[in-house]
Amino acid sequence: GSEYFFHVDANPYFSSLIMGSLTERSGIVVLTNGKNGLDLTAELVHRLYGFEHRLFDIYMLNPDN
């Protein structure tokens, strides 16, 4: 029932995720200095919103699935 927006970016040296909920008026910004830095974001988003967001089904964020 919530609306979310996000942006993901990654290269060999840095990675970032910006995600927010329009309904809950909250958001998270994760900036890392490593190509595997986004590995942490699923857990951070889970802790913020209380559920596993389907955003992390995207191959770029979860290449092992």
Side-chain angles (χ1 to χ4, degrees):
S2 295
E3 294 183 33
Y4 295 90
F5 61 89
F6 69 94
H7 176 75
V8 178
D9 197 10
N11 64 44
Y13 307 105
F14 303 100
S15 55
S16 63
L17 168 85
I18 300 165
M19 181 177 178
S21 168
L22 298 174
T23 307
E24 298 176 27
R25 299 181 62 135
S26 62
I28 186 169
V29 176
V30 180
L31 305 171
T32 71
N33 63 348
K35 66 179 181 178
N36 297 324
L38 293 178
D39 293 349
L40 304 171
T41 57
E43 178 64 24
L44 292 172
V45 169
H46 180 251
R47 289 177 186 229
L48 177 65
Y49 294 114
F51 66 95
E52 293 183 16
H53 197 280
R54 67 182 185 193
L55 165 67
F56 297 97
D57 293 338
I58 295 173
Y59 175 79
M60 186 171 134
L61 294 177
N62 197 358
D64 294 331
N65 285 344

